[in-house]
Amino acid sequence: MEMLDGVEKIFDQMKPMMKKLKKASYEQNMEGFRRENGHYFREMVDYVEEAGQKEEAAKEIAVLFTEKVGEKFGGKKKISGILQADLNFFMIYYVFPSILLTGSDCAKTTADAVCAEWGNRFKDSKINYADYDTIYKGFREKIFGIF
């Protein structure tokens, strides 16, 4: 079995999970997202934990992850700006916090590598990330009081 086999499926529910995002729906969405996809994030950090060269292993994971996402959404063509913005937000709200929530000592190393590779791989995607609690506290009833 290939590492991170099917990981691109984590984006299948992106549209409904990003729609009308509020504190309560974010919490519910995250619970479901981690229940369905947590094994991918565990696989990522486990690979890095077991490696001798942790940064190198994290970069390998990051390259593999971004390649799979690129194939799913771009294929041979470029990803549209609107779709890329959606993917970026999804990464910020769900993927990075899920990596960090693994509780692994290698979670930050893994997230840093994925974040760097994401920014290199995709146009207009130099993004940052925060942990789940920081994002969750950023909600009032609606995200940052807007929408």
Side-chain angles (χ1 to χ4, degrees), residues 106-126:
C106 294
K108 186 172 181 343
T109 302
T110 305
D112 286 347
V114 171
C115 190
E117 188 61 30
W118 188 265
N120 292 334
R121 173 89 160 75
F122 301 110
K123 187 178 188 308
D124 299 326
S125 296
K126 299 276 187 211

Side-chain angles (χ1 to χ4, degrees), residues 65-78:
F65 178 79
T66 57
E67 281 175 356
K68 287 179 178 274
V69 174
E71 287 166 16
K72 176 178 176 85
F73 291 102
K76 298 275 186 245
K77 58 189 183 348
K78 283 189 164 178

Side-chain angles (χ1 to χ4, degrees), residues 23-99:
K23 196 169 199 165
S25 60
Y26 178 59
E27 185 176 23
Q28 283 180 321
N29 290 350
M30 181 57 98
E31 284 175 17
F33 181 72
R34 290 184 65 221
R35 192 171 42 252
E36 294 286 313
N37 302 297
H39 62 283
Y40 292 119
F41 307 115
R42 190 76 245 166
E43 186 180 348
M44 290 170 140
V45 297
D46 285 352
Y47 181 76
V48 177
E49 281 175 6
E50 292 164 12
Q53 301 290 322
K54 305 222 180 301
E55 275 79 17
E56 198 55 45
K59 182 156 178 46
E60 285 175 42
I61 286 289
V63 168
L64 183 62
F65 178 79
T66 57
E67 281 175 356
K68 287 179 178 274
V69 174
E71 287 166 16
K72 176 178 176 85
F73 291 102
K76 298 275 186 245
K77 58 189 183 348
K78 283 189 164 178
I79 297 173
S80 75
I82 293 169
L83 176 57
Q84 188 62 63
D86 288 347
L87 291 168
N88 292 347
F89 280 117
F90 193 79
M91 291 291 291
I92 292 164
Y93 283 113
Y94 294 103
V95 176
F96 292 117
S98 294
I99 293 170

